[in-house]
Amino acid sequence: MELVTGGRVVLGERQPGDPELPPDLLDALREWAAFAVSVTRSGGPQELEVLQRRGRQL
């Protein structure tokens, strides 16, 4: 995942034959990535823990 200009999150490259991801999962991944960017800039230990926990869930 990558955060690009305008705060938009772009998922990595897809391989031929990869199934489409469900829209709700795509939304959750984009939300998590945006949160990750903000936490890594100025988050404390509690925010980092939430970030890691959610990443494992996804």
Side-chain angles (χ1 to χ4, degrees), residues 9 11 15 21 30 41:
V9 176
L11 299 177
Q15 299 297 314
L21 296 176
R30 289 186 177 109
R41 289 184 183 157

Side-chain angles (χ1 to χ4, degrees), residues 24-58:
D24 57 335
L25 177 56
L26 288 173
D27 290 342
L29 287 169
R30 289 186 177 109
E31 180 180 291
W32 176 77
F35 179 64
V37 169
S38 68
V39 166
T40 55
R41 289 184 183 157
S42 61
Q46 291 177 336
E47 288 86 2
L48 287 171
E49 183 180 329
V50 170
L51 175 67
Q52 291 170 345
R53 187 175 343 120
R54 184 62 175 150
R56 286 190 296 270
Q57 291 172 338
L58 292 171

